[in-house]
Amino acid sequence: EEESIHGRLVTNIFAGGTIDTERSFVTGYPYMSEYRTDLPTYVSWLAGQGYYTEGGHTGYDWFYNRRNVARYFGFDNYYFYEDRYETPGDSLMHDDEFFADLLQLYRDHRAESDAPYFSFSVTYQNHGPYEWTYTAGEAYLTPAATGFGEETCHVWNNYLKGVADTIDAMTQLTRGLEALEE
């Protein structure tokens, strides 16, 4: 908290519809609409201030028309599963690889330009549903300690393991940024 901007985030969705949160964050609009043309967003405002605007999503570009909408929002460049994040034998890129790639994109930008850099990137790791039988090798909750059934504990353990993995990946990204001169 001492080194970052922090606070509370309240979203207008639970479970399905995470695209609403993504787009509300970028646009400032509380409700999603049909985006079919360029419009003013925080991204386009930053671009107008001289920022290079880039981002990525490890999902498919066609899902929610993300490829076109990223362009309408004013991104200079936006990557998707098809053009950057496809991994052999896996349907998604894990956060450790994704955040390492974000750091590399930033380094590449800094090597070519002094322009300020804005990245809006969305990970798909730890997106449910969570397995009822697999614990990812970690037991954060047990039936004996919680009174929950075994399947419920498996679901929570899978979720919590994903949170731990994301925290580890964010820590590595932070360390990589701190190691940079600026």
Side-chain angles (χ1 to χ4, degrees):
E1 288 182 355
E2 293 174 12
E3 298 179 7
S4 67
I5 297 170
H6 61 280
R8 296 175 188 254
L9 172 68
V10 178
T11 66
N12 59 347
I13 60 98
F14 176 76
T18 56
I19 190 70
D20 287 2
T21 302
E22 294 170 32
R23 291 182 177 170
S24 291
F25 180 85
V26 172
T27 65
Y29 305 137
Y31 304 104
M32 193 168 76
S33 70
E34 295 289 324
Y35 300 110
R36 299 192 183 278
T37 187
D38 294 348
L39 71 151
T41 65
Y42 295 121
V43 179
S44 61
W45 184 83
L46 288 167
Q49 303 301 310
Y51 279 74
Y52 179 74
T53 59
E54 186 168 55
H57 191 295
T58 57
Y60 297 106
D61 65 358
W62 54 264
F63 198 54
Y64 290 114
N65 195 26
R66 279 191 170 100
R67 177 157 312 274
N68 291 325
V69 172
R71 189 177 69 246
Y72 300 150
F73 286 176
F75 283 100
D76 292 308
N77 198 15
Y78 209 87
Y79 300 105
F80 298 95
Y81 175 85
E82 294 88 347
D83 51 30
R84 190 167 186 103
Y85 301 123
E86 185 172 1
T87 58
D90 201 359
S91 61
L92 60 95
M93 179 176 274
H94 294 281
D95 284 354
D96 58 341
E97 297 170 285
F98 184 60
F99 292 151
D101 187 63
L102 295 179
L103 182 59
Q104 188 59 52
L105 287 169
Y106 177 73
R107 286 180 177 145
D108 293 347
H109 168 75
R110 297 305 296 165
E112 297 174 11
S113 173
D114 289 332
Y117 182 81
F118 172 76
S119 173
F120 178 77
S121 298
V122 179
T123 176
Y124 199 78
Q125 179 174 302
N126 215 32
H127 193 287
Y130 306 99
E131 295 289 331
W132 295 84
T133 58
Y134 176 65
T135 63
E138 298 289 337
Y140 299 94
L141 303 175
T142 64
T146 63
F148 295 143
E150 187 173 331
E151 289 180 346
T152 300
C153 287
H154 288 319
V155 169
W156 274 105
N157 288 330
N158 287 324
Y159 169 75
L160 293 171
K161 174 65 170 138
V163 170
D165 290 346
T166 297
I167 290 169
D168 289 344
M170 286 294 296
T171 300
Q172 291 303 318
L173 174 61
T174 301
R175 287 184 181 146
L177 291 169
E178 289 173 342
L180 298 173
E181 190 173 314
E182 180 181 344

